[in-house]
Amino acid sequence: MNQRALFSLMGFFILTAFWAPKDTVYHPVKNESFTKGEALYFKMTIGIFTVGKCTANVHPGYFKLNNRDCFKVDVFARTVGVVDWIVDVENEYRAYVDTVSLLPQMFYRKQREGKYSIEEQTEFDQKNKQITVRTFEKKSGQWAEPVFYDATGQIRDMISGFLFLRAMDLPNLTLNDTIKVAGFFEDEVYQMQIVHKGEKTINTKMGKIKTLVFKPIMPKNKLFDGKESITLYFSDDKNRIPIKFEANMFIGKASLELIDYSGLRNPLNIVKAKQAPGEE
């Protein structure tokens, strides 16, 4: 090999080292808001009555799906007290979310609400832009034949959508800025629009907490009253954890409020901590 060919070959390897093709699917998302081991605890109320409890946990270890490192997130919600005798709701949601892009690899839901129940698993093939949904049939005791959906762009389930929202640079948004997130839930692809409504300090069980306020634009439905019927409050700090959800429903005003937490990645921005009994 002559000297000219040797230099050409060396140049090729140097250039390809610096200009290697980037991953066009799993775009890195800068995440400083959450990590493994985070646990959030909520109470659900309608009016003045506590009607349920909810927990959201990020597993302390990573899981491999489709040869990708994933966060495993579990959300459990159930009714309590007198309401539990009347309605008896117990819902379980689970998501495996890519640690680099915060895109979902798999989403699972098992819902039991009175006589209604469903168990469903959704797999996201981000590279081939396809969603596969499998539903468990009680009568046969087996999973039904899969149903396939096209997934244009980067599609998220409801859990990975919230994680993605938390990782965004929310404090730099201005009033009425709109965030758009492509999502898939209940066998439907949708474009969720979430409008920034400013900042607010709210009272919680832990004390007064500064929050960022958002309102998702809701489609016309039989459950929520109006297109801006839901208000989301995220902590105004690097965690950006959900502090409170409020919803104007046709049956009344409902809310989901944080009552405890552990394993946060950053200190929670509590303006004034709740005083213990007997403290001045």
Side-chain angles (χ1 to χ4, degrees), residues 29 31 33-34 58 70-75 93-99 101-108 122 124 126 131 154-168 181-185 190 194 234:
V29 172
N31 169 34
S33 64
F34 68 92
V58 183
C70 293
F71 294 110
K72 176 177 176 284
V73 186
D74 292 295
V75 178
Y93 306 95
R94 181 176 301 116
Y96 293 87
V97 184
D98 184 71
T99 58
S101 64
L102 301 186
L103 286 170
Q105 296 292 332
M106 194 269 276
F107 175 74
Y108 168 85
T122 304
F124 294 83
Q126 300 289 351
I131 298 171
Q154 295 186 319
I155 303 292
R156 289 177 165 83
D157 63 85
M158 66 179 190
I159 292 178
S160 62
F162 267 106
L163 296 181
F164 178 64
L165 186 63
R166 286 177 59 184
M168 294 183 68
V181 180
F184 181 87
F185 185 66
Y190 58 88
I194 305 168
F234 290 89

Side-chain angles (χ1 to χ4, degrees), residues 215 223-226 228-230 246-250 252-254:
K215 284 184 176 289
L223 185 61
F224 299 106
D225 188 12
E228 290 192 356
S229 54
I230 296 178
E246 291 179 335
N248 295 319
M249 307 174 72
F250 289 109
K253 190 169 185 176

Side-chain angles (χ1 to χ4, degrees), residues 2 7 41 49 62 74 117 119 140 153 164-165 186 212 215 230 255 276-277:
N2 60 38
F7 277 112
Y41 305 89
F49 301 102
Y62 290 131
D74 292 295
S117 66
E119 186 173 0
S140 66
F164 178 64
L165 186 63
E186 292 189 343
L212 302 168
K215 284 184 176 289
I230 296 178
S255 71

